[in-house]
Amino acid sequence: MTSRENEHPHELISAYLDGEAASSERQMVEMHLRGCAECRTLLDDLRRLALAASAEIPPPVPAGLAARIRWRLPRQEPKRGEVRRRPWWRAPLPLSAAASLVLAVCVVWMLRGELRLAQGQPELRASKLLIDATVAQEAPDAPQGSGVDERVRQPSGHIQELFGQETVSSASDPETTKGEVESRTALAAVIPEDLGEAVLGEVSGDELSERKDATAKIPLQRMKLRKVEKESRRSREMTGQREEQAAPEPKVTSYDQPTPAEQPQSSRRVSKEEPVDEARIYPEGTRDQERYGDLQILGRSYADLMTLAPGVTDTDGDGNLNVRGAREVDFSVRTGTVRAGTKLKESAAFPMGAQVIVEFPDHHIAISDTGLISIKIGDYACSVQVEGETPSEARMESPAKPRAISSIFALAASLESHMNDEVSGAVEHFQTAGFGESARRITLQDAAGQTVRRLHYAGTSVPPPAAEIERRLLGLVRERYRNEIEKACGPLPQLEEASD
Amino acid sequence: MRTLSPTRGMLGGVSGGRLPAAAGEQTLIERARAGDRQAFDRLMEAHLSRVWDRVWRILRHREDCEDVVQEVFLTAYRSLPQFRGESSLSTWLARIATTRALNQIERAAEKVRRASEPLEESVGYPALSATGNPGTGGPRLAPTPLQELEARELRRRLSECLSQLPANWRVILSLRDVDSLAYEEISHIVGIALGTVRSRLARARIALRHCIRGETS
């Protein structure tokens, strides 16, 4: 704690603001506030900041974000109990290996005839190498001396002999699939036209194992290797074995990031993340969803909100706001073609009946700053007084006890700053077409029933504050106070989410 | 709770229209859990805006927000079978969003990237320049008592100054001032001690106030 903190208990004042100070702390703060004008100003400022922060409107959701999310979602998930069939090339190892073996034998069989034509009837050790190598891979536990050439029991070692270290490193690369190793081994063995002169053609039988100076022919061998790899790729293409399909499935984290190939360019960075350690973020015993179960929408008392506006002060200190000066100017604005212009009467600062009314094509919702929520959906109509929202309680309780409704009033009071041509167009639409398919209207009335803000809009031209008002209002009705409403008036009909 | 007649009240005289034909959210959830992508799409569209808002309030960085919001819905899609319905879907999504945003903060080494360590390190209450570095660079806000700021100017300065706060302060401010969570709940969500919530919140508010007032110290 700093000396400044000792002098002015900022942390306690902050906790006091939130109603989180203990009883003794509260007394201490109140005693300090009585004698410290600086801290009274601080408390007032912190309250203003909290209110302003709660009324802040984030930028709109970027266009196309929903589409990008859809794109990243996995394909249609199988229903419970349904087993997804894999393509044969992604089948478990034994099956794919068996398929590789069949393929290799076919290739050998085809080439064998050509070789016999080209070279007379040489003994095709290559084909034996191929088959032995494949068998050795498929049966790694086969007993020694079981007829499988020991040199091909470890194909990569054998390739090392043939192609030098570089090839081995490639073949042993974890990125290199087993199928590729097999394929390289096989093709190296069965293309004597390419490699025969360099390796296989000159070396046969047991001489092969004695040949240790293959490094002298590495440049040529590398060239040959490239040919082999080219042939290998061609072979895979012919057989429909795409390389990525043959690759092992990517490791799936707990959050199941898609493979880089599946991601849009802009989001690849995300895929490199570490798995989330939620245990750190959610300590033991705090993961139950009840912890989050009663999120309040936001907001504070209307009286507090009105203090955000310039010119609204409590000059006589009686707890009631005095509206002067700039506030009158602030309210004398044009809202589209609707002249608001109504000066806020002082009575509106007494939170006894000012209301925000949102009229959708299908339903209407109104809230008053006394905590009265009214809903009209077709034949369903309900008004309930929700607890904890009355102004008297707001005054009695902690000065910053959150109020969900008041923030909606703050947003409604800010509507004029978001007027634009689109909105003006919506006003015209509203005036000509009335409540059409998408026309909506938000009205802020003071306690005397006079309109101080009115905004018409339609279609996609929804100003951010209006969208936010809709969202919060629907949140109050559908979630926060749903039980109260349904208890009073029966099940609530489905409310359509306001479109952005 | 005082109940009024269903036919009375502020909207009693307003004529209603047809009922929306949207399927209930619970039905959509059940269908999505069974693997119905269209159902999940509808849920996603319904909740995208509020998830975006929550993440943005914490990160205040458009690209990061986009990444995190995508992660939130990918996570939700895969975790939907474990969603027990003990809380609402929006609450569940909000929790995932908070977690993922916090995780993003760590991943991105936010403190370094936004050069906001001086705020955290300082024991006093520095004023922030527009760049977040006390006393250096960027246009400085004119010193103005908060009470004298017009509402619009207050909102503008608030937005600017919030962006300069360390993200782990913004998380707490958002959870407190926007979601109105109790300190204990914030403590559980963020994974810090109750006392740290209290002190960090106070420091964040004081720093924010100084920033908005444009004070040097």
Side-chain angles (χ1 to χ4, degrees), chain A residues 14 18 25 45 56 59 68 70 72 74 76 255-256 270 282 286-288 292 298 355 381 385, chain B residues 1 6 10 35 37 45 52 54 60 66 70-71 78 91 95 98-100 183 189 198 205 209:
Chain A
S14 172
D18 293 327
E25 292 173 331
D45 283 354
E56 189 189 28
R68 286 194 290 278
R70 279 191 210 97
R72 288 187 64 186
Q76 189 84 15
Y255 289 99
D256 230 5
V270 179
Y282 296 143
T286 66
R287 297 174 64 88
D288 57 306
Y292 229 76
L298 49 81
Q355 59 180 328
Q385 175 68 54
Chain B
M1 186 175 67
M10 284 179 282
R37 272 286 305 277
E45 286 166 1
W52 167 266
R54 169 171 287 268
R60 302 182 87 83
E66 288 201 32
Q70 289 184 42
E71 291 173 30
R78 293 187 170 91
T91 298
R95 183 168 176 167
T98 304
T99 308
R100 304 296 299 197
Y183 285 9
I189 291 172
R198 183 159 131 160
R205 284 171 164 166
R209 178 189 185 228

Side-chain angles (χ1 to χ4, degrees), chain B residues 101-115:
Chain B
L102 286 168
N103 195 53
Q104 170 71 14
I105 291 167
E106 290 196 350
R107 278 203 308 251
E110 235 261 350
K111 282 193 294 187
V112 174
R113 190 154 56 93
R114 302 193 183 195

Side-chain angles (χ1 to χ4, degrees), chain A residues 177-291:
Chain A
T177 65
K178 186 177 180 180
E180 283 184 65
V181 173
E182 287 179 8
S183 179
R184 288 182 186 180
T185 307
L187 288 162
V190 299
I191 306 180
E193 183 181 351
D194 288 335
L195 300 180
E197 289 182 3
V199 183
L200 296 177
E202 295 178 4
V203 183
S204 63
D206 295 336
E207 291 176 21
L208 184 62
S209 61
E210 297 168 6
R211 186 75 179 253
K212 301 296 183 184
D213 58 346
T215 52
K217 298 182 178 179
I218 283 176
L220 177 61
Q221 290 160 4
R222 287 178 180 167
M223 185 180 70
K224 305 293 186 188
L225 175 61
R226 283 195 288 274
K227 285 188 177 181
V228 169
E229 289 174 339
K230 190 175 177 182
E231 289 293 328
S232 171
R233 279 198 298 273
R234 189 181 303 163
S235 171
R236 284 199 298 273
E237 288 169 5
M238 287 173 59
T239 56
Q241 288 186 340
R242 292 176 56 204
E243 191 169 342
E244 59 269 26
Q245 289 170 334
E249 292 190 23
K251 184 179 178 182
V252 179
T253 69
S254 58
Y255 289 99
D256 230 5
Q257 293 298 323
T259 61
E262 294 173 344
Q263 292 186 21
Q265 196 69 30
S266 62
S267 61
R268 289 195 177 175
R269 179 165 51 85
V270 179
S271 69
K272 296 175 182 172
E273 68 164 290
E274 297 290 330
V276 179
D277 181 10
E278 291 197 62
R280 182 194 59 72
I281 298 171
Y282 296 143
E284 187 67 29
T286 66
R287 297 174 64 88
D288 57 306
Q289 292 165 347
E290 293 300 322
R291 288 279 180 202

